[in-house]
Amino acid sequence: MRILCLGDSIMQYNDCLTYPQTGWVQELARFFPRNTEFLNFARNGRSTKSFIAEGRFEKVLEVAEEGDYVLIQFAHNDEKIADASRYTSPDENGEFRRNLEFFVMNLWAKKCKPILLTPVSRRKFLEADSDGIQKVENTHGEYPNAIIETAGALGVPCIDVTRLTMEFLEDIGEENSRRFFMNFEAGLYSNYPDGKSDNSHLRPDGAFEVSRITAMEIAKLGETWADYKDLSDSVIGKKIDESDGEEIDDEFLIFKK
């Protein structure tokens, strides 16, 4: 089974030079069998517009094969209205929606199975209300709704990662959520001796949590989308809340023939 990934820096692979920054897809492999192949085409700073304009989507189509699953997650850079090379409007009939449709239609032509994902929430908490409850601001505006509505119009699965990660952050709180993002003091990581205050990009724990949230939603897709049942059934730990605590047989996993 192959899973192709299209997106921006929140998804892209990070090597030792940018550690601890981690694209969430790097952790997604933990939730699938070891023979699952991930092809990560996500790149820093790309929007749907620049991803197409730079020929990156053409490269996706060159390697795409019948039966491939494709995760598509954009918005962070499509929002940058001051940058004409990346900005796309999320409005009805806007370029953002047209680009998503372009992705889906061309992937269908290759007999692939696309899944649209709304973007990961940024760590931006609002002031506490009278009950002391802090909500997370939806900094992505109309883009999540545009993705959901486009998926509905096309008839493809959509995972609302924005809503799910907002709920996750609100549950753990502002201070506890800091460790999931590239927000840390000086002297902690050699790549960033002066520290960093970045509430968009993820550290390993954050990438793992986004992957866990997404994987658990992928595990449900087969209930509604028959063509995605094999993908859903392959998710490891999809009944994690019902686990009986049975120990993993390491030798069986490693030496199984």
Side-chain angles (χ1 to χ4, degrees):
M1 183 171 65
R2 303 203 318 170
I3 300 176
L4 282 57
C5 305
L6 286 60
D8 52 39
S9 59
I10 311 302
M11 181 187 271
Q12 82 160 31
Y13 175 82
N14 283 257
D15 59 24
C16 63
L17 299 178
T18 52
Y19 183 84
Q21 184 169 320
T22 307
W24 68 265
V25 168
Q26 290 179 249
E27 294 292 326
L28 188 61
R30 295 179 184 273
F31 295 90
F32 288 88
R34 293 174 64 183
N35 62 351
T36 303
E37 185 178 358
F38 286 85
L39 285 71
N40 192 345
F41 294 89
R43 288 296 181 271
N44 177 55
R46 271 58 181 190
S47 67
T48 58
K49 183 176 185 177
S50 62
F51 197 86
I52 294 169
E54 293 175 3
R56 295 183 181 277
F57 187 55
E58 288 182 12
K59 293 180 180 179
V60 172
L61 295 178
E62 287 173 5
V63 302
E65 299 176 356
E66 180 177 352
D68 284 347
Y69 297 97
V70 187
L71 304 180
I72 304 170
Q73 184 182 61
F74 288 92
H76 277 82
N77 299 297
D78 287 83
E79 300 168 10
K80 297 181 176 178
I81 195 167
D83 186 346
S85 68
R86 292 187 288 181
Y87 174 72
T88 62
S89 169
D91 295 341
E92 186 175 356
N93 299 318
E95 187 177 8
F96 182 65
R97 298 183 192 227
R98 294 199 306 272
N99 288 345
L100 293 177
E101 181 177 357
F102 179 76
F103 290 149
V104 170
M105 298 300 288
N106 280 276
L107 289 166
W108 274 345
K110 298 284 291 189
K111 298 185 179 180
C112 297
K113 303 173 184 179
I115 303 170
L116 298 184
L117 290 78
T118 60
V120 176
S121 173
R122 296 185 178 95
R123 179 181 172 270
K124 186 174 183 181
F125 283 80
L126 300 170
E127 292 293 327
D129 62 20
S130 57
D131 295 321
I133 298 175
Q134 272 189 296
K135 292 290 187 179
V136 172
E137 179 181 343
N138 172 23
T139 64
H140 295 298
E142 291 303 313
Y143 288 88
N145 284 338
I147 295 167
I148 293 168
E149 291 176 1
T150 300
L154 294 173
V156 295
C158 180
I159 298 175
D160 192 357
V161 178
T162 303
R163 175 182 60 81
L164 294 167
T165 51
M166 286 176 68
E167 291 173 353
F168 171 76
L169 293 175
E170 289 170 354
D171 185 54
I172 61 176
E174 183 174 14
E175 184 56 36
N176 289 335
S177 65
R178 187 182 179 205
R179 70 184 178 92
F180 296 103
F181 290 83
M182 291 287 288
N183 187 322
F184 45 81
E185 62 275 10
L188 190 59
Y189 297 103
S190 58
N191 279 336
Y192 305 92
D194 298 326
K196 201 164 178 64
S197 181
D198 177 348
N199 292 306
S200 295
H201 298 93
L202 303 166
R203 281 193 267 177
D205 280 356
F208 178 84
E209 289 300 334
V210 172
S211 293
R212 178 187 62 79
I213 289 168
T214 305
M216 295 307 104
E217 293 301 307
I218 289 174
K220 301 175 185 176
L221 292 181
E223 299 170 7
T224 304
W225 305 87
D227 288 346
Y228 294 78
K229 191 175 187 304
D230 287 345
L231 177 68
S232 292
D233 288 348
S234 69
V235 175
I236 297 170
K238 63 180 180 178
K239 296 183 179 180
I240 195 166
D241 294 333
E242 305 171 14
S243 172
D244 58 7
E246 183 177 346
E247 183 177 356
I248 295 174
D249 186 346
D250 295 333
E251 291 190 357
F252 176 79
L253 289 174
I254 295 172
F255 297 107
K256 177 182 177 183
K257 295 183 180 180

